[in-house]
Amino acid sequence: MISLRIAGPDKDIIVSCAKLLLEENLVIDVDINPNAERLNYINGEFVTTQHCIMRAKTKGLLFPKIDELINERFMDNIPEIYSCAIVHMDWAQANKLTKGIKAV
């Protein structure tokens, strides 16, 4: 199981990604933070930009399909996408994830 993270400056694209993945039954429990601040250090100066971040839970084996789907659908403006392993999870939540998402 993984925690999927998709981020970018365009809130509409991130929300569209979330809706697509939910419709395709590829994720559960989507959280969207539309006003996340990103801090970078560019040319000796700190620069803050606004980002929208989506997080969801899914099966690790579905990541390639999710990545391919996002790249196909948003090829002109592909958001940042990566995952983190979920090492520990409550059993009831793990069962919900296993039963609530497409079989692999």
Side-chain angles (χ1 to χ4, degrees):
M1 286 169 268
I2 60 173
S3 174
L4 178 70
R5 183 182 183 277
I6 299 177
D10 189 328
K11 177 184 171 187
D12 293 336
I13 289 176
I14 303 306
V15 171
S16 293
C17 288
K19 289 178 179 178
L20 173 65
L21 296 175
L22 285 166
E23 287 173 349
E24 294 292 324
N25 200 31
L26 294 170
V27 299
I28 62 170
D29 300 334
V30 174
D31 298 321
I32 297 177
N33 179 352
N35 298 311
E37 287 188 353
R38 177 170 282 184
L39 181 64
N40 287 302
Y41 191 64
I42 301 170
N43 297 326
E45 294 187 31
F46 291 103
V47 178
T48 302
T49 56
Q50 291 295 117
H51 263 58
C52 182
I53 299 173
M54 181 212 98
R55 288 185 190 91
K57 291 190 277 283
T58 189
K59 298 174 183 174
L61 290 173
L62 289 175
F63 185 87
K65 177 163 181 57
I66 291 169
D67 189 41
E68 179 182 344
L69 186 61
I70 297 299
N71 277 276
E72 285 174 1
R73 188 67 58 97
F74 303 99
M75 67 175 52
D76 293 333
N77 200 353
I78 299 171
E80 173 183 291
I81 179 171
Y82 66 87
S83 69
C84 297
I86 297 174
V87 178
H88 301 285
M89 180 185 258
D90 176 78
W91 284 111
Q93 292 175 9
N95 287 333
K96 179 183 174 188
L97 178 66
T98 301
K99 294 176 183 172
I101 295 180
K102 272 189 181 180
V104 180

